[in-house]
Amino acid sequence: EVMSHRVSARMVYDINGQWAIKPLIGARYEMLKETKDEQWLKGLFDYRKAELGLELERELAKDRSLRFTYSFFPLWFINYESLESQSTLGRELAGKKPLNTHNNYLSVTWEMPWFERSVISLGALALGRFYPDQRIVEESGNYSSTMRRDATGSANVAARRAVPLSETKGLVFSGALEFALNRSNQNHLDANQSRFIPNYYDYRDQTASLGMQFFWGSDLKRAKTLGLSGWASRRQYLKRNIQDAGGNYLDPTTRFNNIGFSLSGTWPVGDRGLALRSLVQGVWQNSNMKYEANYRYNFSTFNYLFGFSYQF
């Protein structure tokens, strides 16, 4: 079970009708119950997040816009304390609070009309993560005084096109491609197999997605919607060799393939901003990693959401 609470405030300052400055401050508290005997507020992976950010948006000629976004957000896993911190096993989670991070996020997005009723956007982002209580594992099994740092960069292109069917009905088609690369200075030492793997968390991602949404209603803000989307992604670890079912290492590096779909709908109730929402989603993942004693690499999952939203 998951319960999430978030509060945020955003200000918008217009400067001469050209630049919009949008400072943001927010906080989030997410609670997770992963076993039946866990209690709310005491989940192992409960975390708190604070965020401070700024967005700059420039309206350009011919319906073009340019956005720059920066935010800083620390994450605190308040109940997680690694048992490995009481040992000298030479593994990366040996710190007392090894999951806590300080994060810097920077992105730029350029949005422009493509052809009639179509919009294309180009984007890039950079995310830097600093782990204040996760030291680097060395090949000797000792810990370096250097702390773990990860850096992720990605580039994406997305497009959407509106197709009116009548005065009150229409379709919106969308698609996106994204490429991401993650670099980490953290290593991994498998003492059971006497195997040292440098840069254990380095990987690259490729994702492609397609979507279609059908809407009907005279007011777009109060329209009924039905959406269908699908995506496929691959994550390839650059240094992490696969293992067979017995744990023996083989030459190929680990990769994950994911295929997913979602079906969503919105149905307004009354005229005061209340709407019924539903979501059905399925994901299938397969991997060439066969050793699953500690972590599940090949699985499928199916979930659904049903509830209400209120906009004002």
Side-chain angles (χ1 to χ4, degrees):
E1 296 180 52
V2 178
M3 187 190 303
S4 184
H5 302 265
R6 182 174 183 266
V7 59
S8 66
R10 179 189 296 267
M11 301 289 289
V12 179
Y13 298 95
D14 187 283
I15 301 178
N16 300 326
Q18 295 181 336
W19 284 96
I21 302 177
K22 306 174 185 179
L24 167 71
I25 187 171
R28 182 174 182 174
Y29 188 9
E30 184 156 306
M31 294 167 277
L32 298 93
K33 293 172 62 175
E34 295 198 322
T35 62
K36 292 183 179 180
D37 59 347
E38 278 190 339
Q39 300 177 3
W40 290 121
L41 304 177
K42 296 184 178 180
L44 184 63
F45 293 101
D46 289 5
Y47 71 85
R48 293 172 181 169
K49 173 185 177 181
E51 183 176 12
L52 183 66
L54 180 68
E55 180 180 297
L56 301 176
E57 183 174 8
R58 174 69 185 269
E59 294 293 336
L60 304 175
K62 298 181 180 179
D63 297 324
R64 290 168 168 80
S65 66
L66 187 63
R67 291 192 303 273
F68 299 92
T69 304
Y70 169 78
S71 66
F72 171 75
F73 57 96
L75 293 176
W76 300 282
F77 289 82
I78 53 179
N79 299 323
Y80 185 94
E81 183 174 324
S82 173
L83 295 178
E84 294 186 23
S85 63
Q86 305 170 16
S87 69
T88 56
L89 295 177
R91 294 193 288 196
E92 55 265 34
L93 295 182
K96 190 173 182 180
K97 295 288 185 179
L99 301 184
N100 291 359
T101 57
H102 299 161
N103 306 273
N104 287 280
Y105 172 88
L106 180 66
S107 71
V108 57
T109 304
W110 183 29
E111 192 170 273
M112 56 190 151
W114 188 11
F115 51 87
E116 186 179 3
R117 301 190 186 93
S118 298
V119 175
I120 187 170
S121 64
L122 305 174
L125 68 84
L127 174 64
R129 295 179 297 278
F130 173 68
Y131 294 75
D133 198 20
Q134 189 176 145
R135 293 185 292 168
I136 299 302
V137 178
E138 298 178 329
E139 189 170 3
S140 62
N142 297 319
Y143 296 101
S144 167
S145 59
T146 303
M147 298 299 180
R148 176 179 171 182
R149 294 179 182 270
D150 287 17
T152 303
S154 75
N156 64 80
V157 56
R160 64 182 184 273
R161 176 171 172 78
V163 180
L165 302 178
S166 68
E167 292 184 357
T168 59
K169 297 181 178 66
L171 289 168
V172 177
F173 296 94
S174 60
L177 294 172
E178 182 174 14
F179 175 82
L181 181 65
N182 186 75
R183 293 292 190 179
S184 174
N185 62 349
Q186 183 59 284
N187 309 312
H188 178 73
L189 180 63
D190 186 345
N192 293 327
Q193 298 287 338
S194 300
R195 185 87 171 197
F196 177 75
I197 304 176
N199 306 111
Y200 188 68
Y201 296 93
D202 287 5
Y203 65 80
R204 61 173 178 263
D205 274 344
Q206 301 94 34
T207 304
S209 61
L210 291 173
M212 179 183 68
Q213 186 177 56
F214 175 64
F215 62 91
W216 64 101
S218 55
D219 182 1
L220 287 179
K221 293 182 179 180
R222 302 288 300 145
K224 305 175 183 68
T225 67
L226 180 64
L228 176 64
S229 63
W231 65 91
S233 66
R234 166 172 284 200
R235 172 170 294 185
Q236 180 75 54
Y237 282 92
L238 306 182
K239 301 290 184 67
R240 189 183 301 187
N241 295 94
I242 65 170
Q243 297 170 263
D244 62 22
N248 300 304
Y249 284 91
L250 304 174
D251 287 336
T253 54
T254 304
R255 57 106 181 109
F256 305 149
N257 290 326
N258 281 275
I259 296 177
F261 80 94
S262 68
L263 179 65
S264 61
T266 303
W267 192 279
V269 179
D271 297 320
R272 297 184 179 273
L274 190 65
L276 177 65
R277 294 184 179 273
S278 62
L279 172 69
V280 178
Q281 181 174 277
V283 178
W284 292 263
Q285 176 174 294
N286 68 77
S287 172
N288 58 353
M289 171 68 82
K290 303 305 177 185
Y291 182 67
E292 298 186 308
N294 301 318
Y295 184 83
R296 192 71 177 266
Y297 294 90
N298 297 273
F299 63 86
S300 61
T301 178
F302 180 81
N303 57 75
Y304 59 91
L305 170 70
F306 184 79
F308 290 90
S309 68
Y310 179 67
Q311 293 181 327
F312 58 93

